[in-house]
Amino acid sequence: MALPPTDVGDMFIDFSVDYDGKTTHFSDYVGRGQYVLVDFWASWCGPCLQEIPNIITVYEKYKEKGLMVLGVAVSDRPEATLKAINEYQIPYPQIINSQKIATDAYYIRGIPEIILFAPNGTILARSLRGEDIEKKLSEVFCE
């Protein structure tokens, strides 16, 4: 069976997550006319937690220019995710309790996996980390 494409230039793959009596779809955020930086992360992942300040910085810098940032908590207990969101004061929306749904959809084998989606939902960049996040966003927003 061939895997659906999830590389640069491919269209996003939708998925849904049920948490706290509500169903959230990835398409509630992606493919709706704005750039979306998605951080697939978990509260127990040291490298994930190290990226959060970088992501908050670019969120604050580019949100007025049309950037949306979305966190997708994977393979994590919702209570631990919520604690980390509070502790790190993460200001952008989160999809909580995706477990393996999101990582399976995007063939993610290690986290953090940070993906930038174009306004139409195509993947612009994958595996962004550290200063590469800012570098890619400065290209996109012509800084």
Side-chain angles (χ1 to χ4, degrees), residues 23 28 46 52 63 67 87 94 99 107 113 115 118 120 130 141:
T23 300
D28 293 341
I52 290 171
K63 68 181 179 183
L67 177 70
E87 184 177 325
Q94 300 286 323
Q99 301 310 331
Y107 304 98
E113 175 67 13
I115 301 176
N120 69 354
F141 290 102

Side-chain angles (χ1 to χ4, degrees), residues 10-53:
D10 293 328
M11 186 57 70
F12 81 100
I13 293 173
D14 201 11
F15 61 85
S16 61
V17 174
D18 295 321
Y19 173 68
D20 202 24
K22 183 180 169 208
T23 300
T24 304
H25 300 271
F26 197 56
S27 58
D28 293 341
Y29 300 95
V30 176
R32 294 185 163 250
Q34 66 186 121
Y35 290 95
V36 185
L37 185 70
V38 182
D39 178 23
F40 297 87
W41 71 289
S43 67
W44 49 261
C45 166
C48 298
L49 299 177
Q50 289 176 338
E51 288 296 342
I52 290 171

Side-chain angles (χ1 to χ4, degrees), residues 40-140:
F40 297 87
W41 71 289
S43 67
W44 49 261
C45 166
C48 298
L49 299 177
Q50 289 176 338
E51 288 296 342
I52 290 171
N54 296 333
I55 296 168
I56 291 173
T57 298
V58 296
Y59 169 73
E60 294 297 338
K61 181 174 181 179
Y62 293 104
K63 68 181 179 183
E64 299 301 321
K65 296 180 180 187
L67 177 70
M68 168 174 268
V69 175
L70 174 66
V72 179
V74 302
S75 301
D76 205 0
R77 293 183 344 272
E79 316 78 57
T81 301
L82 292 169
K83 182 178 179 204
I85 290 167
N86 190 37
E87 184 177 325
Y88 286 83
Q89 299 180 5
I90 300 173
Y92 43 85
Q94 300 286 323
I95 295 178
I96 295 173
N97 200 35
S98 83
Q99 301 310 331
K100 293 181 139 220
I101 296 167
T103 52
D104 285 352
Y106 284 88
Y107 304 98
I108 296 169
R109 298 296 167 245
I111 54 173
E113 175 67 13
I114 301 167
I115 301 176
L116 179 63
F117 294 88
N120 69 354
T122 58
I123 298 172
L124 287 180
R126 280 193 74 146
S127 302
L128 294 169
R129 298 280 289 274
E131 56 192 46
D132 288 341
I133 301 168
E134 166 64 32
K135 187 176 175 186
K136 186 65 180 177
L137 290 173
S138 69
E139 287 173 19
V140 165

